[in-house]
Amino acid sequence: MRKEFGKEPGLVNRVLFFYSDWIGSLDLFAYDYLMELIREFGAEGVDRKLRQAVSDGRMGESVLVEMDRALSAEWVEG
């Protein structure tokens, strides 16, 4: 089920800035990947997983792949 990210534009911006400030460079790959994750799982879910990654000390683009797997698993279970 795709989420509408137009309903939460402030949160989408917060996710993008948080990624850029704490995880890694917000290049075209990261931006596209984050936007796809936000469309699929919603900005709240992506924000929660990014913050969890930082608290676990993880950084870089591998966070995106790990987050994709984790959110997909949650979606299948839920």
Side-chain angles (χ1 to χ4, degrees):
M1 179 173 81
R2 293 181 89 91
K3 306 262 182 175
E4 289 292 324
F5 64 87
K7 294 180 181 177
E8 47 190 5
L11 186 54
V12 171
N13 286 337
R14 189 172 79 187
V15 166
L16 296 174
F17 283 118
F18 186 82
Y19 182 88
S20 177
D21 289 345
W22 292 96
I23 306 285
S25 174
L26 189 60
D27 57 15
L28 188 55
F29 169 79
Y31 176 83
D32 189 47
Y33 210 131
L34 281 168
M35 293 307 290
E36 185 60 33
L37 289 172
I38 290 168
R39 278 187 215 99
E40 276 301 310
F41 305 109
E44 284 183 16
V46 173
D47 185 55
R48 179 176 41 86
K49 287 294 182 184
L50 284 178
R51 291 176 186 281
Q52 182 179 352
V54 168
S55 70
D56 293 343
R58 293 180 282 144
M59 296 177 72
E61 291 179 350
S62 63
V63 169
L64 296 173
V65 176
E66 293 170 15
M67 186 171 41
D68 191 7
R69 288 184 191 137
L71 288 169
S72 294
E74 285 180 12
W75 185 80
V76 169
E77 291 173 3

